[in-house]
Amino acid sequence: MTEIGKPLSRIEGKLKISGMAQYAAEFNQPNMAYAFAVQATIAKGTITKIDTTAALKSAGVITVLTHQNMARLKKFEPMDLFKSGGSLSEFLLPLQDNKIEYYGQIIGMVVAETYEQARSAARLVQIRYSRQTPVTDLKKAAATAVLPKMTGEGGPAQLNEGKAAAPLASSPHRIEATYTTSIENHHPMETHATIAVWEGSDRLTVYHGTQGILFTQKTLSFIFDLKPENVRVLSPYLGGGFGCKLGWPELLFAVMSARAVQRPVKFVTTRQMMQTTVGRRASTIQKVALGTDTGGRLTVIRHQVTTFNNLTQVFEASASPSKVLYKAPAIEATNAITKLNIGAPTQMRGPGFSSGSFAIESAMDEMAYKLGMDPIQFRILNYTATDQVEKLPFSAKYLLDCYRIGAEAFGWNRRKLQPRQNRQGNYFVGYGMASAIYPAHRSVATAKVRLTQDGKLKVMSATQDIGTGTYTIIAQTAADTLRIPVESINVEIGDSNLPPCPPAAGSQTVASVMPAVMAAAEQVRNELMQLAINDSKSALHGKSVEAIGFGGGTFFLKDDPGVADSFTTILRRANRDAIEACVGTKPIGDMGLGPKSPPCMITNFSADANDDDKKYSFYSFGAQFAEVWIDEDFGTIKVKRFTSVQDVGRIMNEKTARSQVMGSVIYHIGQALMEETLFDNRFGNPVTRSLADYHVPVQLDIPDIDVHFINKPDLHVSPIGARGVGEIGGVGVASAIANAAFNAVGKRVRSLPMTLDKLL
Ligand code: MOS
């Protein structure tokens, strides 16, 4: 009966495939002008001269904005912006001075009547620089890295510095190895886009492809001194956001350009700009040391990461998975950070955990070989039911089931123990596996539900569907709560005027928003039932709440279902057009990104708040299995099969959840085998400039992906019991593939991506 869990296709799917769904760049405005960026061609230094004469004379050009004529913005501390509820992923305000911090930095904005005119004129801007030597090589800069007291995904950056040395020295079995991961860039199908429309000087509307409409609203209201309610942000659909659409230059540039020319302005980044200006996953150098006793029980885990940042507090917290994955009396996990002259790193799907799992899960495989143990047995032996850092039990953990179900589905028992034993023609075949882990987040969220006399239900919430299925799951949640068909539900999201919600980041949307939808729908249901009970004309008049059941748009007596009253009739008799409720949920484990104090439109808070956040540690788990084929002569590697088993709490929609896991696996096959942004370290420019040379997986690179869910609700997270599923599916993928590659050819690749030169 229940709607929750059903493999429904996306309710907005037809709109999307027929081109009817409007994305940010498609909200063309009357009298709109187009902006195009001029980008720095040095990686460090200053602009000594910038000549816009030729560009200004070019056809259709309205203005050329540079640091010489751009309006000055007030200076502020990043922390003050965060406190206001806003966020910028890169702390570099548009055209405020002549400093160059990285290659590709936007140093000018041409605004013209058409896109082509703006783009053409941008090439006519003449720039002279004073160059300084940039540093873009992490290996070279590693010596200057420090261990800052910062917090990232997975908690504080540093844990037990120096504490692993003694236990390592006394461990009977030890391994130590260094793993590296490369810079990866974001390439959602939809590039970054904003259309900014000012009404006078105090009202602003932006159509902006974003993972956080309220972040955006608060950011703009903070920077431009506007009342939040005078800033409207619309993002009904997003063509993908994997951590990159949370506050980048296109937003402020569009808004400032629109203010400068007193017209609506559209600014869309090119595919090439995705390589330079909107964030990236930072590269890492990761040293892992493991020690075990004679029986193979871990005595110590040490995971020392070196990575970089610039113009941001975000860092790739790759040591995080090692804090919580396995039982060990001594765990040292550190993240050292240096600065490079590269645009700001940012969150990218499974931040920290995805890159970090490559190191720890490869090391676990290396140790299993050293001990002569099966890699799954070795992991089971070192299983932990508690988070050893927080000293709390996990809210729910079915990792052992993940191993068992995955091994069975994958056919792990056919794995050869030693490399080079399994051949298919010219290929060596290998099997590898890894564990997956990712934090489960939940933030404050609100939803409004309105049932009208025609029996239709509208759900309104300022959350956003970044392509994951949020529209559909909201409809399922509401349909389930009122036991009415999904078809009678209308979902309105992606508009900052709606009840507040956190950004779609950290895989928290389902866990945050759905409890609010459920609570609001429950409230509507209860009020409606009271209307019937209090109505002398109702068949249910005077009955007790406990005696009344519901379904198919009616209330009825549980003992005598023939005695019934329909939702629409109750409303009609009460002379009510609609009944509505707006509810906020005050959750456990607020990740601190959401609106801290929802505005007064919230009528109440649901009762599901409790102190479980003090009693449990919240993570999702999984197991990944890969079969790879490696050509003996060429070293080419192909992932032939992939099995992923996920323990992410209750599954809200079997189809969209499966798509999330498949997408994550594909994303990380890219990380494992091909994605790499390379720099010419002499000049600090990326040499991978577009999708022509920044390689991502295509259809032929992707095997059958077999996805399984444990699907057991985690009721400590919320009454719905769902944790997030957007990111964990990629954690462990690269290591499962690297471990399979070792099993195939006996070569341990400790550096991503595993290009053929590393496998020969
Ligand atoms: Mo996610 S990497 O927080 O969009």
Side-chain angles (χ1 to χ4, degrees), residues 592-645:
L593 295 175
K596 284 287 186 200
S597 32
C600 53
M601 65 198 298
I602 307 311
T603 53
N604 54 19
F605 282 103
S606 77
D608 84 74
N610 58 34
D611 61 354
D612 276 4
D613 62 324
K614 296 182 192 78
K615 295 188 203 148
Y616 299 98
S617 173
F618 297 89
Y619 281 88
S620 282
F621 300 91
Q624 314 279 24
F625 296 79
E627 176 183 323
V628 304
W629 289 30
I630 297 173
D631 187 294
E632 184 172 14
D633 298 318
F634 299 118
T636 46
I637 177 170
K638 169 116 184 120
V639 180
K640 274 283 180 180
R641 291 194 297 131
F642 203 96
T643 297
S644 183
V645 188

